[in-house]
Amino acid sequence: MENGSPFPALARMLFASDERARPAPSSFDGEKNAVSVEDASRKRKEQIDQLVRDHHDFVWRTVRRFGVGDTDIDDVVQEVFLMVTRHVTDIVRERAFLFRACQFAAARVKRTALRRRELDGDELLPTQIDANANPEESAEASEARRRLQTILDAMPDELRNVFVLFELERMTMAEIAEITRTPPGTVASRLRRAREQFLAAVNTNASGGGHE
């Protein structure tokens, strides 16, 4: 099943607005090797810069959809790209690597925040969604984004991952199976369950059950 989704308009409305470098020489041989090392370093930096340009928005959206609050989101994005600098020569499929790096970084910052709140005895605070929203963004769009994030936060990780990649990032089932390292049949099953949960939550909100 490819991306012929019944949900894109609804999901997007709610969210409003995701060849190895050559190794350094093993030994030095005067000026020739020095130039080679400098050239390799320059190419590595160019590779990193290009990857950041190509995928920064994807990384930012992904960590936000993993429930990272606006106060932490820039730090988490930076952490993801620091992972890139350490592993850039090993990256074969960029989005697959970045998605898993986002999972790791987001989970770490959320665990840290939870431990801090437990130590301080504070109640869990609601996730801030719109600190960086466009000033011209309507109150309705802002509320829609908050609602979608609330629905995503309530989904188990394995369902949310598939739902976000298919419905919001518009990836194919084959791409999702590769990124999540999950059999295609399992991806399809998780997407079906995620859609059911998503629609149930939307219907609950529409009927007034989601209001306090």
Side-chain angles (χ1 to χ4, degrees):
M1 176 175 57
E2 293 302 317
N3 208 329
S5 166
F7 295 130
L10 178 58
R12 289 176 183 278
M13 179 277 292
L14 284 178
F15 210 73
S17 333
D18 254 342
E19 189 173 343
R20 297 169 179 265
R22 66 179 180 179
S26 57
S27 61
F28 292 94
D29 184 18
E31 184 176 336
K32 180 179 179 180
N33 277 335
V35 172
S36 297
V37 171
E38 181 180 349
D39 185 58
S41 177
R42 187 187 72 253
K43 288 184 176 180
R44 181 176 181 274
K45 182 180 184 302
E46 290 173 352
Q47 184 180 359
I48 293 169
D49 290 346
Q50 186 63 49
L51 195 148
V52 172
R53 285 193 296 271
D54 290 346
H55 300 295
H56 180 274
D57 289 350
F58 170 74
V59 169
W60 194 91
R61 291 193 305 268
T62 301
V63 297
R64 181 173 68 174
R65 289 164 180 166
F66 279 138
V68 174
D70 285 337
T71 56
D72 294 314
I73 195 167
D74 288 338
D75 289 341
V76 176
V77 170
Q78 182 177 19
E79 181 177 346
V80 169
F81 285 112
L82 285 175
M83 294 184 206
V84 168
T85 65
R86 292 194 291 267
H87 300 284
V88 65
T89 58
D90 300 319
I91 297 174
V92 178
R93 294 173 177 81
E94 293 175 352
R95 283 210 169 190
F97 176 90
L98 290 169
F99 186 79
R100 289 190 286 269
C102 289
Q103 280 184 298
F104 176 84
R108 184 198 61 75
V109 76
K110 289 168 73 176
R111 285 195 303 269
T112 299
L114 181 59
R115 285 197 298 268
R116 184 168 61 245
R117 289 163 182 161
E118 289 173 345
L119 290 173
D120 293 343
D122 294 338
E123 295 182 358
L124 293 178
L125 299 176
T127 302
Q128 294 179 332
I129 301 301
D130 292 311
N132 296 321
N134 187 312
E136 297 179 355
E137 183 179 37
S138 69
E140 182 180 1
S142 177
E143 172 63 13
R145 290 176 56 205
R146 185 197 66 78
R147 286 175 55 200
L148 178 59
Q149 190 61 53
T150 299
I151 294 172
L152 294 178
D153 287 345
M155 287 185 180
D157 288 346
E158 67 272 13
L159 302 189
R160 174 171 54 184
N161 294 348
V162 172
F163 185 85
V164 164
L165 292 175
F166 190 88
E167 301 293 352
L168 302 176
E169 293 299 331
R170 310 296 291 148
M171 293 187 184
T172 66
M173 299 292 280
E175 290 170 333
I176 296 169
E178 180 180 26
I179 285 177
T180 60
R181 297 174 176 173
T182 305
T186 303
V187 171
S189 174
R190 289 177 179 176
L191 179 60
R192 175 182 56 77
R193 290 158 55 203
R195 284 170 163 175
E196 291 172 353
Q197 185 168 331
F198 177 81
L199 288 178
V202 169
N203 291 335
T204 296
N205 285 336
S207 66
H211 296 289
E212 294 182 359

